[in-house]
Amino acid sequence: MSILDRVKRRLPEADQTLLEEYIQTMEDRICIRLGENALPDAFASVCVDAVVKMYRRTYYEGISSESVANISNSFYEDILAEYDQEISKWKENKANTEGSGRYIHFL
């Protein structure tokens, strides 16, 4: 199932064009953090979660906290911050399986 289909299951009321833009934005941001050109399959779920969070805070852009009556809202400034541990672990595992890219030459 595509990322778009998974996001649409969680947000059936959302405009598809807007979701496509959010997905592309989040894929780009994740790839930058990973140092990859394409989104690894292992990060599809992270992308879906992050896009849903982006959508839900659409009209609250820039808010860090708000209280009205007994309801309180607060948002991460960086949606991907809560996935830092997964990103770090993936990068560590990739470095361990692919090597550092450095070579030792014996004379």
Side-chain angles (χ1 to χ4, degrees):
M1 181 179 308
S2 73
I3 291 174
L4 178 61
D5 290 337
R6 291 176 63 190
V7 172
K8 285 171 64 176
R9 277 191 173 191
R10 295 185 191 190
L11 303 168
E13 74 284 357
D15 175 66
Q16 181 167 331
T17 304
L18 180 62
L19 292 180
E20 289 170 349
E21 174 60 28
Y22 282 176
I23 290 167
Q24 185 61 57
T25 299
M26 196 50 62
E27 285 180 355
D28 293 345
R29 290 179 180 177
I30 293 170
C31 287
I32 288 169
R33 292 201 183 188
L34 296 174
E36 295 292 319
N37 292 325
L39 186 72
D41 291 339
F43 281 88
S45 291
V46 169
C47 187
V48 170
D49 287 346
V51 168
V52 170
K53 289 175 186 175
M54 281 178 78
Y55 178 82
R56 289 188 175 151
R57 72 180 231 187
T58 298
Y59 299 106
Y60 296 94
E61 194 167 335
I63 193 170
S64 61
S65 78
E66 172 185 54
S67 295
V68 176
N70 291 329
I71 299 172
S72 176
N73 294 320
S74 62
F75 301 99
Y76 287 107
E77 287 186 36
D78 177 5
I79 291 175
L80 291 175
E82 85 177 81
Y83 305 104
D84 281 344
Q85 186 176 359
E86 287 93 341
I87 290 169
S88 295
K89 187 67 175 171
W90 185 87
K91 289 169 83 174
E92 179 183 317
N93 288 341
K94 183 176 180 193
N96 288 338
T97 58
E98 292 183 357
S100 64
R102 297 181 183 164
Y103 298 95
I104 299 174
H105 298 280
F106 295 98
L107 297 175

